[in-house]
Amino acid sequence: MKQKSLYFLAPLMAFLVFTACAQQSDNSAKAAAVQNKNFPDAKPDSYWKKVLSPEAYEIMVNKGTERPFENPYWNNHKKGTYVSAATGKPLFSSNTKFESGTGWPSFYAPINPDDIMIVSDNSFGMQRDEVVEKSTGLHLGHVFDDGPPPTGKRYCMNSYAFKFIPAK
């Protein structure tokens, strides 16, 4: 009798799984529409795959994290500007860069706070503040409240999200 009940439930379970998947893709479409409204320069992933390096794509689009102490700018002491690898927008300056000891480039302030956005990141069972480029919504890194004065902030950024433009 129990076997018969399970066979009877199988089509119903398949329908529920299908429905859940359909709702997920419907929600994904809604999320994409909201993202495009919130981020005016947002582009499809296929566009970013063509214009970004594989490392920058992994960091910025897939919200990856590069290895500490094994990235281009964690130990960069040159004067200059860190611009978005996606848009070329100047986001951080060597004037606010400091040694955090974390293995990632860290800054106590962006050049213009209006060019970045802080969003909630609850991935990996942690609650963090994610830093994204305001115009595109692309991932740059995270911000923490353990930085130096004057802001007390540590913008812990991924090197591959940037291109460094040396000062002249």
Side-chain angles (χ1 to χ4, degrees), residues 7-90:
Y7 289 118
F8 174 73
L9 290 176
L12 177 61
M13 291 174 65
F15 173 76
L16 292 173
V17 169
F18 175 76
T19 304
C21 291
Q23 287 174 340
Q24 184 178 17
S25 90
D26 199 30
N27 288 340
S28 296
K30 288 177 187 174
V34 168
Q35 182 177 9
N36 289 340
K37 183 178 177 186
N38 291 337
F39 306 111
D41 295 329
K43 307 266 192 275
D45 291 358
S46 59
Y47 172 84
W48 296 121
K49 193 156 194 117
K50 290 177 190 172
V51 300
L52 295 172
S53 71
E55 297 87 357
Y57 182 86
E58 178 58 29
I59 298 299
M60 300 181 85
V61 175
N62 293 333
K63 299 183 179 204
T65 300
E66 62 202 11
R67 294 175 65 112
F69 305 102
E70 295 180 20
N71 56 73
Y73 303 132
W74 77 273
N75 201 24
N76 183 18
H77 299 286
K78 297 175 185 170
K79 293 289 182 190
T81 305
Y82 296 83
V83 303
S84 166
T87 65
K89 181 87 173 162

Side-chain angles (χ1 to χ4, degrees), residues 92-137:
F92 290 91
S93 168
S94 62
N95 294 336
T96 62
K97 190 172 186 283
F98 69 96
E99 293 298 326
S100 66
T102 62
W104 289 282
S106 297
F107 306 85
Y108 61 79
I111 292 173
N112 182 350
D114 291 336
D115 291 333
I116 63 167
M117 181 183 279
I118 309 302
V119 297
S120 182
D121 175 4
N122 297 312
S123 62
F124 304 108
M126 297 181 277
Q127 186 175 8
R128 300 178 290 174
D129 291 328
E130 179 184 1
V131 181
V132 300
E133 188 170 5
K134 190 170 186 177
S135 67
T136 63

Side-chain angles (χ1 to χ4, degrees), residues 140-151:
L140 302 171
H142 292 89
V143 63
F144 304 94
D145 290 325
D146 59 0
T151 64

